[in-house]
Amino acid sequence: MTPIPNSRIIYKAVPKGFPVPGEHLVYESNSASIDIDNARLHGGALVRTVYISLDPYLRGTMRDPSIQSYAAANQVGEPMKSRTICKVIRSEDPDFNPGDYVLAPNGDWSLHAVFTKADGLTKLQKPANVSLSTYAGVLGMPGLTAFLSLRAFGRMKAGETLFVSTAAGVVGSIVAQLAKLAGLKVIGSTGDDRKVEWLKEELKLDVAFNYKTTKVADVLKEHGPIDIYYDNVGGETLDVAFEHINKHGRIILCGFVTEYNKGERSSYGVKNLSSKAVSKTLSINGFVIWDIVDKEGLDAFQEEYRPLVEQGQIKYQETRYQGFEIIPEAFLAMFNGENLGKTVVAVSEE
């Protein structure tokens, strides 16, 4: 077969603030090609990308490689990488057959790619009653993050109060629902009135509010104190949580999205940490998901959590985009709060 174009999103330059479509992330439709029938597989599999996962943590991979972090830096001039859900086209590995769906944990943002088991390629079974794209969201790393971090650090008890920021995001919404199922009162913040309504009407949160129009401190003063704060944003919200958390409270640090695009601007300094953490005997846990994964946790995820999703007890939303050319804009829109739930891009048919 004649080589065909291999559409890609190239990471062109390190952004100082918000990434700019066409400057830092660039769509290229004809700069690379691939011979589907003759490409070398190196004992692995040639795949066609179906879904690309967009996640806030990826902004941290767009940095100078000399700066160390928990996630590897993407390489300037190369395709951007993230979790991708793909379909096998050809294979030299007996564990992967044409037609199989697979997850590439660090897949290229390209239409076709070659992966091996050494790249972490794993076979997927189509889930019951939900889309294959849920492997990028509620049945994938975000779901695992919410489930295992609550399991490891939450020590949830019925009757307690949990506050979660970015409650309409995929991790926050799962945390909120797991807490409700465990009998907790749940307070959730988000930055959009449409999302507030979803949290109230669909997820049945006890309190949901728009932090852009209502002060976090006012809500926690009225509806707190809280026993658990699940933090996805950092900054001032974290500082306020220290003021309104009970003795022996738990703070789970999952993300700090308010800091991701500040560039050279100084980060928000948490003022209440030293005075409140000691006097209130708080447990504060930051984590990277792969550091808390073990066989027992993975088994519990499959046996306890997955059925909740497939049976509709854990609700989810996807903000889905279509096509490679839209990815840079979709990535920026995620940081502007335009997504509801998980952001995923469909780049080819299942």
Side-chain angles (χ1 to χ4, degrees), residues 91-329:
S91 177
E92 293 176 347
D93 188 321
D95 289 338
F96 304 118
N97 298 309
D100 286 347
Y101 290 103
V102 291
L103 175 70
N106 200 34
D108 289 351
W109 288 9
S110 60
L111 183 57
H112 293 93
V114 173
F115 298 117
T116 68
K117 285 197 187 79
D119 299 310
L121 197 68
T122 55
K123 187 174 178 178
L124 299 175
Q125 297 295 329
K126 279 198 122 177
N129 304 317
V130 294
S131 168
L132 183 71
S133 61
T134 55
Y135 280 116
V138 289
L139 288 179
M141 189 268 283
L144 196 67
T145 296
F147 178 77
L148 290 187
S149 60
L150 278 179
R151 187 172 181 268
F153 310 122
R155 305 195 302 275
M156 295 186 295
K157 304 178 186 69
E160 290 188 324
T161 299
L162 176 143
F163 169 44
V164 54
S165 52
T166 317
V170 59
V171 173
S173 64
I174 297 168
V175 165
Q177 292 177 84
L178 289 173
K180 287 294 294 180
L181 288 170
L184 279 72
K185 173 182 175 180
V186 177
I187 303 169
S189 65
T190 185
D192 183 284
D193 288 340
R194 171 180 58 105
K195 297 178 183 179
V196 170
E197 288 305 307
W198 182 66
L199 293 173
K200 289 179 177 178
E201 299 301 321
E202 292 294 323
L203 303 194
K204 308 300 181 184
L205 267 62
D206 300 279
V207 180
F209 67 99
N210 184 339
Y211 71 87
K212 294 180 180 178
T213 58
T214 304
K215 290 184 178 180
V216 176
D218 291 343
V219 173
L220 297 188
K221 182 178 180 180
E222 179 180 357
H223 298 284
I226 61 177
D227 299 286
I228 304 169
Y229 173 45
Y230 197 98
D231 182 30
N232 289 303
V233 299
E236 184 178 3
T237 303
L238 173 59
D239 209 27
V240 171
F242 280 110
E243 284 281 356
H244 297 277
I245 195 166
N246 278 324
K247 191 167 185 177
H248 304 301
R250 286 81 74 197
I251 294 179
I252 304 172
L253 305 175
C254 180
F256 45 100
V257 71
T258 58
E259 308 292 320
Y260 289 158
N261 293 294
K262 283 193 172 182
E264 297 175 355
R265 291 177 292 165
S266 60
S267 297
Y268 184 94
V270 176
K271 305 176 182 63
N272 289 313
L273 172 60
S274 57
S275 63
K276 302 300 181 184
V278 174
S279 63
K280 293 186 177 186
T281 324
L282 302 179
S283 297
I284 304 171
N285 291 98
F287 71 97
V288 175
I289 181 58
W290 306 121
D291 291 337
I292 63 172
V293 171
D294 57 19
K295 184 179 185 304
E296 183 181 351
L298 289 174
D299 288 346
F301 182 77
Q302 293 296 329
E303 295 167 10
E304 300 172 22
Y305 172 82
R306 181 173 178 138
L308 297 176
V309 175
E310 295 184 328
Q311 295 165 14
Q313 294 185 65
I314 294 290
K315 302 180 187 299
Y316 70 96
Q317 286 279 356
E318 284 185 351
T319 298
R320 184 178 292 199
Y321 295 87
Q322 188 77 37
F324 265 97
E325 65 279 4
I326 198 65
I327 291 177
E329 288 77 12

Side-chain angles (χ1 to χ4, degrees), residues 33-70:
S33 61
I34 188 166
D35 187 332
I36 298 296
D37 292 328
N38 298 302
R40 296 183 64 184
L41 305 187
H42 309 288
L46 171 69
V47 303
R48 170 173 51 81
T49 306
V50 179
Y51 296 109
I52 290 176
S53 176
L54 302 187
D55 299 280
Y57 85 89
L58 291 170
R59 175 61 183 83
T61 70
M62 301 172 72
R63 66 179 192 275
D64 187 318
S66 66
I67 300 173
Q68 297 300 308
S69 184
Y70 68 89

